[in-house]
Amino acid sequence: MTITEILSYGFIQRALVAGSLIAVLCAVLGVFLVLRRLSLIGDGLAHVTFGSVAIALFLRINPAVVTVAAIPLVLLSSFGILKLTDKARIYGDAAIGIVSSLGIACGVLLASVAGGFNIDLFSYLFGNILAIGTGDLVLALVLFAVVLLAVFFFYYDLVAITFDEELARSSGIRTKTINTVLVLLTALTVVLAMKLVGIMLISALLILPAVTALQVAASFRATILVAALLAVGSVVVGIFGSFILNLPTGASIVMVNFVVFMLVFSGKKLRQAR
């Protein structure tokens, strides 16, 4: 099949548009998370998303709105991570681990009570971007606008706490508020990325474009731009490759990201060796 013939399919068009929007969000937020050593928060919130989806399916909520139904619980969990870190004096990785394990445990228990891991829950675990419908595309557009507007509005504050949170606090920046904004934006993006690569692979989409861009970019803005371009490119290549080779789309996108990272990393090491 030619590229034109593949693009004639409506589900491919929706997958490319939604995938590109989600990829940009993951790349932009991923740069902040990687530099702040909060990369695993994506994985932790992904496990919470699993529990939220299991609750929605257990309650027989319409599959078409499961993603929307999962958003409040994931947002609440992300807020819980911040509160555990702040009030209980627990390190960030420990708080993520607590909330993450609780989310996955709830999901497994509810799946067991409901009679096992049904097809719907399995598809959320590993993603199925080619099944994205019009409603999912509209949701992606809305959340894309919300997240990017928030990043634009709080950009300088986010940069400040990324490089030196103590200095940012002493400069009058409301670091708790900015941390809350960052975590909530990440939670929204994780829920949105669930359909793209699946709950089990979300953290890769948040981390790989960011760490790849950090190998080559010379400035912070350049890092964000390069990460976004790499993420969108990997989504496009992954979708076309999975369609042509009949492979799982989410896993294909992650593998493309990994191959690009290895190529960039190897190229950098070769240049340094010379």
Side-chain angles (χ1 to χ4, degrees):
M1 296 180 67
T2 64
I3 298 296
T4 305
E5 289 174 330
I6 295 175
L7 287 173
S8 66
Y9 292 105
F11 67 91
I12 291 290
Q13 296 169 8
R14 290 190 295 271
L16 288 171
V17 174
S20 298
L21 295 175
I22 297 167
V24 171
L25 295 183
C26 287
V28 172
L29 292 175
V31 172
F32 291 105
L33 295 174
V34 166
L35 289 174
R36 295 201 63 196
R37 299 183 181 181
L38 289 173
S39 305
L40 287 180
I41 196 170
D43 191 54
L45 290 176
H47 291 164
V48 173
T49 305
F50 171 75
S52 303
V53 169
I55 291 173
L57 294 176
F58 179 76
L59 296 175
R60 301 291 190 271
I61 293 176
N62 189 335
V65 296
V66 164
T67 302
V68 178
I71 289 176
L73 285 174
V74 179
L75 290 177
L76 185 62
S77 299
S78 65
F79 192 69
I81 290 174
L82 286 178
K83 285 299 180 183
L84 280 173
T85 304
D86 185 35
K87 302 296 183 183
R89 298 180 183 275
I90 297 174
Y91 288 114
D93 56 347
I96 291 169
I98 291 171
V99 176
S100 170
S101 58
L102 179 62
I104 201 76
C106 289
V108 171
L109 286 174
L110 288 173
S112 177
V113 171
F117 291 85
N118 58 35
I119 295 175
D120 288 332
L121 190 55
F122 187 83
S123 68
Y124 286 108
L125 278 173
F126 300 102
N128 189 8
I129 191 174
L130 298 182
I132 281 181
T134 304
D136 295 313
L137 184 57
V138 171
L139 179 61
L141 285 167
V142 171
L143 292 185
F144 177 82
V146 169
V147 173
L148 281 197
L149 282 174
V151 170
F152 176 79
F153 186 76
F154 293 105
Y155 176 77
Y156 292 106
D157 291 339
L158 286 167
V159 172
I161 67 169
T162 296
F163 289 102
D164 195 330
E165 186 169 351
E166 292 299 324
L167 179 60
R169 184 182 295 111
S170 64
S171 300
I173 294 175
R174 295 174 296 174
T175 54
K176 288 185 179 180
T177 301
I178 302 303
N179 281 327
T180 301
V181 169
L182 178 61
V183 172
L184 293 181
L185 293 180
T186 304
L188 286 173
T189 302
V190 165
V191 175
L192 194 57
M194 176 173 58
K195 277 289 187 74
L196 177 60
V197 295
I199 291 168
M200 303 304 293
L201 301 174
I202 287 173
S203 59
L205 202 61
L206 284 167
I207 296 171
L208 283 171
V211 296
T212 304
L214 286 168
Q215 303 298 314
V216 295
S219 67
F220 190 79
R221 290 180 184 272
T223 301
I224 292 177
L225 178 60
V226 172
L229 291 174
L230 290 174
V232 172
S234 67
V235 166
V236 173
V237 174
I239 289 174
F240 277 108
S242 66
F243 182 78
I244 295 170
L245 300 175
N246 194 28
L247 296 172
T249 308
S252 299
I253 292 171
V254 173
M255 287 306 298
V256 171
N257 268 298
F258 179 72
V259 169
V260 172
F261 168 72
M262 289 305 299
L263 289 173
V264 171
F265 179 75
S266 300
K268 182 180 179 181
K269 287 297 182 182
L270 286 173
R271 287 195 302 272
Q272 290 176 345
R274 292 175 183 175

